[in-house]
């Protein structure tokens, strides 16, 4: 019996903001770079959730026009990205078709909201390791 791949929903604003690399100068570009970095996780999965995985990157605000690519579906939130993530988790974990759902975010309030629906959470480092520290 084949089970559905783990659903991994990434809070783009939170994950992009987790590394101070100048993302605020080009929010859309930062979301596109994150999207592209997520592609390998569709095959490999996350450390605690082996692949394959269905990856959804939820974007909002100035990053709203980021397009999907093979392996990563981009979901443009019409309002709050957090509210859209909660809606998606509620749908994915409901009823007999419930599936494993992991939300990647460091937002404590969002974590509590999605955990109430049975989702599991991972921090931004699950998909975006910190860059090496500089010793200039």
């Amino acid at each position: 019996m084949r089970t559905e791949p783990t659903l991994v929903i990434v809070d783009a604003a939170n994950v992009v903001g987790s590394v101070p690399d100048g993302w605020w100068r080009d929010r859309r570009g930062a979301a596109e770079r994150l999207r592209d970095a997520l592609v390998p996780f569709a095959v490999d999965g996350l450390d605690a959730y082996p692949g394959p995985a269905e990856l959804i990157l939820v974007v909002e605000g100035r990053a709203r026009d980021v397009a999907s690519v093979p392996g990563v579906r981009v979901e443009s939130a019409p309002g709050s990205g957090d509210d859209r993530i909660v809606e998606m988790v509620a749908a994915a974990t409901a009823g007999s078709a419930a599936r494993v759902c992991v939300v990647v975010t460091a937002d404590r309030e969002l974590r509590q909201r999605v955990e109430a629906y049975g989702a599991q959470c991972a921090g931004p480092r699950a998909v975006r390791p910190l860059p090496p520290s500089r010793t200039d």
Side-chain angles (χ1 to χ4, degrees):
M1 182 175 136
R2 181 170 160 84
T3 59
E4 286 190 77
T6 299
L7 176 61
V8 178
I9 302 173
V10 180
D11 178 357
N14 187 270
V15 174
V16 163
S18 70
V19 177
D21 61 1
W23 59 263
W24 51 90
R25 291 188 292 268
D26 180 11
R27 292 169 195 252
R28 180 180 175 171
E32 288 172 336
R33 288 188 297 279
L34 174 59
R35 175 206 58 201
D36 295 346
L38 292 174
V39 171
F41 293 102
V43 173
D44 301 335
L46 304 179
D47 284 343
Y49 308 93
E54 178 184 354
L55 269 122
I56 302 174
L57 178 66
V58 177
V59 296
E60 61 186 322
R62 293 185 194 156
R64 199 171 276 132
D65 295 328
V66 172
S68 297
V69 296
V72 180
R73 183 176 109 209
V74 177
E75 181 75 24
S76 196
S80 161
D82 290 1
D83 290 346
R84 183 66 188 122
I85 291 169
V86 173
E87 291 169 2
M88 295 171 70
V89 167
T93 58
S96 62
R99 63 193 289 200
V100 175
C101 183
V102 179
V103 175
V104 179
T105 187
D107 182 318
R108 287 185 187 128
E109 181 182 337
L110 177 58
R111 283 175 172 250
Q112 290 175 341
R113 291 174 67 193
V114 299
E115 287 172 347
Y117 287 99
Q120 298 168 41
C121 295
R125 288 187 191 177
V127 296
R128 188 170 187 196
L130 289 173
S133 54
R134 296 177 58 179
T135 56
D136 296 346

